[in-house]
Amino acid sequence: MSKNPIFLFMDLQSILSSVLDEVYEKNEYPALAALEAEWSETRPFEGLRVLVATPIYRNTMTQYRALLAGGASLLVGFSGMNDPDVVDFLKDWGIPVVIPAEMLEAESRGEFVDLVLDCAGPFAALHPKIGFVELTRSGVQYYQNAKKPVFVADSGIVKRIETSLGTGDGYFRALEKLGLGAGENASGADFEGKKLLVFGSGKVGSGIALQGVRRGCAVSVVTDLNRASSENAPENAPENAANSMPAGDFSAVLEQNGVNVVDCHDYATVSALIEKADFVVTATGIKDALAAPELQKSLLSTSAVLANMGVEDEYGEAVPVEKVLNAKGPLNFILEEPTHLKYIETSLALHAALAERLVQEAAGSTQSGSDCAAIDEGLRFPPQEIEQRLLTIAIQNGVIGPEICSMLGGIPTEMD
């Protein structure tokens, strides 16, 4: 990643391409490639300042490149999830890497961005001219009272490619990197017969559980069965609860695949499962989800390998950080590529495409004489036509097309 000052700010797309084209094929990022080609012609972000806060890794540079192709003046939001080498690379080539405090200070001087593409909500306090796109469910809580439009990418179908397929893959790859599995290039047979206990039956939890089934694990999932029944009821479908952003639950699918599903309030059964498990992983997205006193003894005494795959500390303060892999941080972030590009690129494409939709809506309201800041504020679902287009591209042109088809065939969607 050497720097040539001749190209500084002249052609950042080419600079990123010099890195990305060496390690990725286009069939690993078909949706982003399609957007990049289109936006090179249409330039939807021309003259706009766009802050992107996706975790800073090599694979997320494919999203930066697409936005640059669309004319964006790019700022990259810094969080705790990053590859320091990539951060340095971006800084060396003049791409601003910023933290929330810096941006709030800039706002005090009257310097505002136009769009914020956030991830887990660290930049929710900003005041962009147009609006926000939040990538994750854990970030929704920070936007409940937003006065600007906020598309939530996680509330649609596309995000399930990343969470149901990619995150489960990342969890097991991280275990293998730590020497707790069969190794990077092996079949995964060392997990055969191991007892895997997963907390959470949403997209991430079910993805880990089903990956465990494929690897031969005896899988149990702990979830709130009362909440699962409520969320799956017809009266609670997304179209009737636009601002609630229900998480979705896949308990029925898990049971169909031989997974033992247990209610989280059955403390005696859950404690026994913890004590007997080989691997325990949290994926509820809820802070202190396992902090109930009834579970603490089992968590502290178990010989199981404990891990977290969510943003929050789900174990609670009573469980020491040294007892949980990666000090309670998301385990897959110990990897150079936490989620393989082929699994995450459609989410990144949706993240960016929703920003384009906000620009289009703002332009339309300006032409009609309306105040774009007051139109459709608050949490919003991704438009179906955008998701369907990206899914079609990913299935037809992507290396994981068959996996996506299998996933959509086995897991219910909001469009069913």
Side-chain angles (χ1 to χ4, degrees), residues 267-349:
Y267 293 121
T269 299
V270 174
S271 293
L273 287 170
I274 292 171
E275 291 171 359
K276 296 176 182 177
D278 296 296
F279 299 94
V280 174
V281 56
T282 53
T284 69
I286 301 171
K287 182 177 174 60
D288 298 332
L290 278 65
E294 295 87 344
L295 302 180
Q296 293 302 304
K297 181 180 178 181
S298 297
L299 287 170
L300 293 172
S301 64
T302 184
S303 60
V305 176
L306 306 186
N308 176 35
M309 287 295 285
V311 175
E312 304 288 352
D313 171 11
E314 302 187 26
Y315 287 94
E317 293 183 0
V319 177
V321 293
E322 58 269 19
K323 189 169 177 61
V324 184
L325 297 178
N326 197 29
K328 296 186 177 180
L331 181 60
N332 58 325
F333 280 88
I334 69 172
L335 301 168
E336 181 181 11
E337 195 163 279
T339 304
H340 277 317
L341 177 60
K342 62 184 179 180
Y343 293 122
I344 201 173
E345 76 95 18
T346 320
S347 293
L348 298 178

Side-chain angles (χ1 to χ4, degrees), residues 198-393:
V198 182
F199 284 83
S201 59
K203 293 189 294 294
V204 174
S206 63
I208 295 170
L210 293 174
Q211 182 72 224
V213 170
R214 287 192 286 272
R215 289 172 177 257
C217 296
V219 183
S220 295
V221 168
V222 178
T223 190
D224 186 340
L225 291 178
N226 292 328
R227 179 183 176 190
S229 299
S230 173
E231 285 191 351
N232 288 330
E235 62 269 20
N236 290 328
E239 57 268 28
N240 297 324
N243 286 326
S244 65
M245 294 295 168
D249 180 272
F250 305 110
S251 299
V253 174
L254 293 171
E255 289 178 328
Q256 291 167 10
N257 284 272
V259 175
N260 176 37
V261 179
V262 178
D263 186 71
C264 63
H265 300 102
D266 185 352
Y267 293 121
T269 299
V270 174
S271 293
L273 287 170
I274 292 171
E275 291 171 359
K276 296 176 182 177
D278 296 296
F279 299 94
V280 174
V281 56
T282 53
T284 69
I286 301 171
K287 182 177 174 60
D288 298 332
L290 278 65
E294 295 87 344
L295 302 180
Q296 293 302 304
K297 181 180 178 181
S298 297
L299 287 170
L300 293 172
S301 64
T302 184
S303 60
V305 176
L306 306 186
N308 176 35
M309 287 295 285
V311 175
E312 304 288 352
D313 171 11
E314 302 187 26
Y315 287 94
E317 293 183 0
V319 177
V321 293
E322 58 269 19
K323 189 169 177 61
V324 184
L325 297 178
N326 197 29
K328 296 186 177 180
L331 181 60
N332 58 325
F333 280 88
I334 69 172
L335 301 168
E336 181 181 11
E337 195 163 279
T339 304
H340 277 317
L341 177 60
K342 62 184 179 180
Y343 293 122
I344 201 173
E345 76 95 18
T346 320
S347 293
L348 298 178
L350 178 63
H351 201 204
L354 292 173
E356 180 191 28
R357 176 57 63 92
L358 288 176
V359 173
Q360 292 168 343
E361 291 182 359
S365 64
T366 301
Q367 292 171 5
S368 65
S370 303
D371 180 4
C372 69
I375 293 177
D376 294 326
E377 67 181 37
L379 301 173
R380 301 169 60 184
F381 288 93
Q384 290 187 7
E385 66 272 16
I386 294 178
E387 288 209 287
Q388 290 289 9
R389 180 195 174 205
L390 296 176
L391 281 171
T392 299
I393 293 170

Side-chain angles (χ1 to χ4, degrees), residues 16-18 32 66 73 83 101 109 117 135 156 172 195 385 394 401:
L16 295 179
S17 295
S18 69
L32 280 169
S73 175
D83 181 332
R109 302 191 301 268
L117 279 64
L135 186 62
F172 281 97
K195 297 181 179 67
E385 66 272 16

